[in-house]
Amino acid sequence: MWYSLENRAARATVHRSGGMVLAEFTLGDRRVRPLFLPAWASENAADGLLNNLRGDFPCVPFGGAPAQAALPEGWHPDKAAADPDEFAHGYGAHHLWNLAETGVGFIRIAVDYPRSHPIEGLERIVSLSPDHPKVLFEDRIHVRKTCRLPVGLHPIFRLPKENGAARLRLPNCRIMRTYPDDVDASAAFVPDASVPDAQAVPLRRGGTADATSLPMEISTEELLMLCEVETGRVALENRAEAYRAVLEWDASLLKGCLLWFSNRGRGFEPWNGRNVCLGVEPIASAFDLGTAVSLGGTPLGAFTGLSMKAGDTVVLKHSISVEEFP
């Protein structure tokens, strides 16, 4: 089930499953849909999260415990820390949210977490700018027990089919890192590498890939982490459809940005080598490696978790907008 908001500039569809949101915008006499809806949306996928994957959703906690037994030198998971639930990207991403309130220009939905969880629940308020093609998000984390957890947002953008038909504009950051292990059997980036330039990411086969020219020519599933960004702003220029999508967020809380490149890499169900999308994920987390890794020692820095006190409400704000391009 879903709920919708609409004005002359935009329409947002708020889904109960995972609190996921899709949006479309009016640019002149046309409608633009920058967010991702997978080809298998009407098919039976492997699990609930994949079956309902779409658009933009919050992740509390972000990621999940890694399947691999060991990480490279320099990664020291906190042995005392553990993921508070079994769900990749957190309990809220896998469960139904309830309608809490509707008003003029906004919808508020909420999900309660299990009593054993340090998080009491989440609220998501979705609203539309009255004057511009922009959707605004306010995610509230209600804290039951004092804790430190990896937290993040998970916007996913649709990409054109033609290689290089979109250009990614990234903020400056302290360092960029590739994933410390294999994201997938198709992984192409040199693992656990410091990357000085997103336009020249080193490849295992030799040479480099331009991770800002999308879709990439290689078929791969990859992650690239921007650590301690200077500004919370990423723009995706879709040259094939002549618009620019802009994601903005509060980088004082979410100082990292994880880029997920799903670039025809995964060959198994339901991906089937056909999926092309880009996740631009503001996070306080060590990639998607879960609580123990995020709270331990990593080459990324000290921003990989949010400290939250019992009784507090942590508020995360971000927006997605579009504009004509060029």
Side-chain angles (χ1 to χ4, degrees):
M1 186 175 178
W2 49 269
Y3 313 99
S4 64
L5 285 170
E6 188 167 8
N7 63 16
R8 61 184 179 81
R11 183 174 189 267
T13 306
V14 183
H15 293 258
R16 288 190 64 201
S17 180
M20 298 184 186
V21 175
L22 285 171
E24 60 182 62
F25 303 91
T26 301
L27 286 180
D29 60 355
R30 62 193 176 111
R31 300 288 275 183
V32 170
R33 298 173 179 85
L35 292 174
F36 171 68
L37 183 66
W40 63 84
S42 61
E43 302 171 6
N44 293 319
D47 64 49
L49 176 62
L50 277 183
N51 194 43
N52 294 288
L53 186 67
R54 66 196 66 214
D56 177 299
F57 58 100
C59 301
V60 184
F62 187 87
Q68 61 266 35
L71 290 166
E73 185 178 351
W75 296 78
H76 305 287
D78 185 338
K79 294 181 180 179
D83 287 283
D85 60 48
E86 63 191 63
F87 301 102
H89 291 325
Y91 181 90
H94 290 254
H95 289 82
L96 293 178
W97 295 49
N98 295 310
L99 180 65
E101 183 183 9
T102 60
V104 178
F106 78 91
I107 291 173
R108 180 167 62 91
I109 58 173
V111 61
D112 294 329
Y113 275 41
R115 287 186 172 273
S116 60
H117 206 287
I119 301 304
E120 183 177 348
L122 306 179
E123 288 182 286
R124 165 160 269 207
I125 300 171
V126 182
S127 60
L128 304 179
S129 168
D131 303 312
H132 304 286
K134 177 184 287 190
V135 179
L136 301 103
F137 300 83
E138 180 177 311
D139 291 302
R140 300 173 179 175
I141 306 170
H142 299 292
V143 185
R144 177 182 282 120
K145 301 175 185 177
T146 297
C147 59
R148 185 165 178 253
L149 292 174
V151 167
L153 306 170
H154 206 297
I156 314 171
F157 291 90
R158 186 173 59 84
L159 292 174
K161 293 182 178 180
E162 182 185 353
N163 290 341
R167 174 64 69 176
L168 186 60
R169 305 295 182 183
L170 300 171
N172 293 328
C173 62
R174 183 176 59 83
I175 57 169
M176 278 184 287
R177 298 282 303 195
T178 58
Y179 196 67
D181 196 16
D182 293 340
V183 177
D184 177 72
S186 66
F189 295 172
V190 172
D192 200 32
S194 180
V195 179
D197 186 350
Q199 295 185 50
V201 182
L203 295 175
R204 301 176 190 220
R205 69 185 187 193
T208 62
D210 183 352
T212 70
S213 180
L214 302 171
M216 292 183 285
E217 293 183 0
I218 53 176
S219 296
T220 189
E221 197 81 17
E222 275 295 359
L223 295 169
L224 182 65
M225 178 90 177
L226 280 65
C227 304
E228 298 178 38
V229 295
E230 291 184 3
T231 59
R233 186 182 191 277
V234 170
L236 180 65
E237 299 166 354
N238 188 323
R239 298 172 179 178
E241 299 178 39
Y243 72 85
R244 178 189 290 112
V246 179
L247 167 68
E248 296 178 282
W249 74 94
D250 181 0
S252 69
L253 288 175
L254 302 179
K255 298 180 180 180
C257 182
L258 183 61
L259 302 176
W260 166 41
F261 304 97
S262 188
N263 210 82
R264 300 179 294 267
R266 287 178 174 152
F268 51 88
E269 293 282 353
W271 312 85
N272 293 334
R274 60 184 166 170
N275 193 65
V276 178
C277 69
L278 172 71
V280 184
E281 305 163 24
I283 59 174
S285 178
F287 289 95
D288 60 352
L289 291 168
T291 302
V293 175
S294 292
L295 303 192
T298 77
L300 305 180
F303 68 92
T304 55
L306 284 186
S307 295
M308 300 177 282
K309 293 183 180 180
D312 281 358
T313 297
V314 177
V315 178
L316 306 175
K317 294 183 179 182
H318 73 289
S319 68
I320 295 172
S321 60
V322 299
E323 55 196 31
E324 297 282 0
F325 175 84

